[in-house]
Amino acid sequence: MKDNYVYAVARIRVKEKTLLTDADIASLAGMSDVNSVMGYLSDRGWGTADTDKDPDAMLAAEEQKNLDLMRELKIDPSVFDILSYPQIFHNLKSAIKQVCTAEDYSQIGIFYDLEKYGGREMVRIIQEKDYNALPESMRQVAQDAFETMLSTRDGQLCDIMVDRACLMAMTEAGRKEKNKVIRDYVRSQVSIADIRIAVRAERCGKSADFLKKALAPSEDFNCSQLAAAASRGEEDLLKFLSGNGFGGASEALGKSLSAFECWCDNQQIEAIKPQKRVITSIGPVVAYYLARENEIRTVRIILTAKANGFSEDSIRERVREMYV
């Protein structure tokens, strides 16, 4: 197994050289329009011959390349499952909404192109109520969220149910994982996701009861206390974050919501950077996968901002830290 890791890490070290740097991101932020950004990325090998004019298609192609590389390196399925949970549960939400609204989402790129639980298969499962075809951690929430969406047409409630189930599934899988990188990744993701939920709920005036239904248990803080603080208002929420080791989140929120979202994503990158020095574990492979997700997400932010006429300063506030 160690020899397999050595080969995989050697491949990843070569691939790391193609990742965008902070300087690349700064250049993209300073470009005049979407076409300039697309041209720069195309020259760096992004997309395919068929996607050079379509930003969404280019980003989808890059996401697919990232998934394909993990399959090519024959990463342990249990590890890949944990990394794929957000995409799988996203496809579940999209499938439920498609079946309940009779709208065809397959033509607008809303589904992740996953090998086992892609859009077509997930829609079939929901249409036929074939819940046993899903991973055990998804079966009950798939049924509950579908019935809730069907009876209430409340897309937000459906999202909350599925998102919480995703975090719970990641937590359970993380506890069983022997690799520290994966365990740390899961712990960080769950805590950051809870903080994001609390911040958005506070801004929308949601109650503590609403938050308790949305938050997943975290190893870093008491979720009931987080829910109570967020329901009382921004001042109490900021105090809670500062008092529980998340002063950076509190400081970023004091600047702007964009700065806070940037802080959330940067925590993941800071956590995986030590993997650059590792050569005989799966850690660098996982780090590369997450780094690619981060750079694709950052490019999407830049493209969207350019399309909507945001200023360069506004874009720079939103861009994420890169891995290399």
Side-chain angles (χ1 to χ4, degrees), residues 186-254:
V186 169
R187 177 172 178 165
S188 173
Q189 285 294 97
V190 172
S191 295
I192 296 299
D194 276 343
I195 292 171
R196 272 185 160 131
I197 292 168
V199 167
R200 292 168 183 169
E202 186 279 321
R203 302 249 164 160
C204 295
K206 298 293 187 180
S207 67
D209 286 341
F210 172 91
L211 276 159
K212 287 176 182 177
K213 294 176 183 177
L215 298 175
S218 166
E219 295 182 43
D220 293 316
F221 45 70
N222 184 302
C223 284
S224 294
Q225 293 176 3
L226 173 60
S231 68
R232 289 194 297 267
E234 183 175 3
E235 183 177 349
D236 278 13
L237 175 58
L238 296 181
K239 286 181 180 178
F240 177 89
L241 294 174
S242 296
N244 284 272
F246 291 91
S250 180
E251 183 179 347
L253 272 170

Side-chain angles (χ1 to χ4, degrees), residues 81-99:
D81 284 348
I82 297 175
L83 298 179
S84 300
Y85 273 152
Q87 289 88 354
I88 297 172
F89 279 84
H90 170 88
N91 280 0
L92 174 61
K93 289 190 294 186
S94 299
I96 289 172
K97 291 175 184 177
Q98 175 167 315
V99 172

